[in-house]
């Protein structure tokens, strides 16, 4: 990235949990933040999308690293191609339970109330529920089919009214690319099981997997033909 990147996009759930206290920075991310600072000082721009695990990112990343923070997906143009980029939580059909609580969790009232807890208590509770959520996600590493992948259905619906060349999301944590009319839907995967990321060039998005300190071209389990 230091050699050829101009912009780096984190599409949410970078942290298992993040809360932006007024004066406290959660423990455990020093080397990660140090690398962002190093690359930022080289002129690389960083972009961060709220995920459902780190929706409480506010101004710290911008103040410390000049990072642009997004609460919602965005449209962007690279090399003449139109992209729709975001985390993806709460989009598409289904996931009704999460949609009901998402608005409350992102509210200033909820953040104010959580900040009243001591960090040892608040972060401990958040990590407990985050782990329980992960344990209960039996579908997280299974392709659910063309008619059941919510974000894919969302991209198809959006393509009919506001077409893009490429859609890139991360919420499903599963690497795959699926065709839609006059475009392609990509899901990034994650860095626990897959170590995958996408590089955008003048041609088209390309998957890579980080192996043995090297980026290797990667073919996701579910490619252009399912």
């Amino acid at each position: 990235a230091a050699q050829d990147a101009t912009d780096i996009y984190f599409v949410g759930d970078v942290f298992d949990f993040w809360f932006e206290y007024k004066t406290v920075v959660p423990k455990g991310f020093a080397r990660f933040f140090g690398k962002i600072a190093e690359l930022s000082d080289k002129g690389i721009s960083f972009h961060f999308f709220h995920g459902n695990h780190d929706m409480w990112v506010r101004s710290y990343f911008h103040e410390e690293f000049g990072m642009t923070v997004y609460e919602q997906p965005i449209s962007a143009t690279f090399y003449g191609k139109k992209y729709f980029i975001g985390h993806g939580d709460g989009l598409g059909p289904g996931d009704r339970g999460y949609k009901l609580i998402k608005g409350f969790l992102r509210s200033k009232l909820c953040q104010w109330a959580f900040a009243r807890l001591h960090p040892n208590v608040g972060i401990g509770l958040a990590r407990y529920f985050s782990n329980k959520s992960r344990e209960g996600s039996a579908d997280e590493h299974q392709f659910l089919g063309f008619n059941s992948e919510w974000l894919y259905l969302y991209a198809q619906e959006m393509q009919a009214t506001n077409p893009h060349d490429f859609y890139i999301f991360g919420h499903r944590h599963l690497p795959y690319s699926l065709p839609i009319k006059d475009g392609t839907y990509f899901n990034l995967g994650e860095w626990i099981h897959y170590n995958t990321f996408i590089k955008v060039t003048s041609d088209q998005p390309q998957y890579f997997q980080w192996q043995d300190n090297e980026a290797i071209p990667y073919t996701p389990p579910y490619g252009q033909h399912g």
Side-chain angles (χ1 to χ4, degrees), residues 90-155:
L91 300 180
D95 213 4
R96 294 183 181 88
Y98 173 70
K99 289 177 181 179
L100 287 174
I101 65 172
K102 178 179 177 180
F104 173 71
L105 290 175
R106 290 197 172 187
S107 69
K108 291 183 179 180
L109 174 62
C110 182
Q111 295 179 53
W112 178 88
F114 190 87
R116 308 280 74 79
L117 298 174
H118 188 282
N120 288 348
V121 176
I123 293 177
L125 283 172
R127 288 179 174 168
Y128 170 79
F129 284 111
S130 177
N131 289 335
K132 294 296 289 185
S133 173
R134 188 183 303 110
E135 290 172 3
S137 299
D139 295 334
E140 185 169 317
H141 297 290
Q142 299 179 35
F143 178 67
L144 302 179
F146 287 91
N147 296 321
S148 300
E149 289 288 344
W150 301 338
L151 288 176
Y152 177 60
L153 297 176
Y154 173 84

Side-chain angles (χ1 to χ4, degrees), residues 52-113:
N52 51 298
H53 283 257
D54 42 27
M55 65 174 65
W56 287 341
V57 171
R58 299 178 69 182
S59 61
Y60 176 70
F61 291 175
H62 177 72
E63 294 167 355
E64 194 72 21
F65 310 112
M67 190 180 297
T68 304
V69 177
Y70 307 94
E71 293 186 10
Q72 302 295 336
I74 64 166
S75 292
T77 300
F78 307 115
Y79 305 104
K81 299 291 186 178
K82 192 175 181 181
Y83 287 74
F84 192 75
I85 307 170
H87 181 63
D89 60 317
L91 300 180
D95 213 4
R96 294 183 181 88
Y98 173 70
K99 289 177 181 179
L100 287 174
I101 65 172
K102 178 179 177 180
F104 173 71
L105 290 175
R106 290 197 172 187
S107 69
K108 291 183 179 180
L109 174 62
C110 182
Q111 295 179 53
W112 178 88

Side-chain angles (χ1 to χ4, degrees), residues 182-215:
D182 299 323
T184 308
Y185 167 87
F186 292 91
N187 201 275
L188 283 169
E190 36 83 322
W191 280 70
I192 297 176
H193 301 90
Y194 301 106
N195 296 337
T196 49
F197 65 97
I198 284 177
K199 182 177 181 179
V200 174
T201 66
S202 58
D203 185 15
Q204 67 174 15
Q206 183 179 0
Y207 278 98
F208 286 88
Q209 186 175 59
W210 190 255
Q211 296 183 12
D212 300 322
N213 294 319
E214 185 178 3

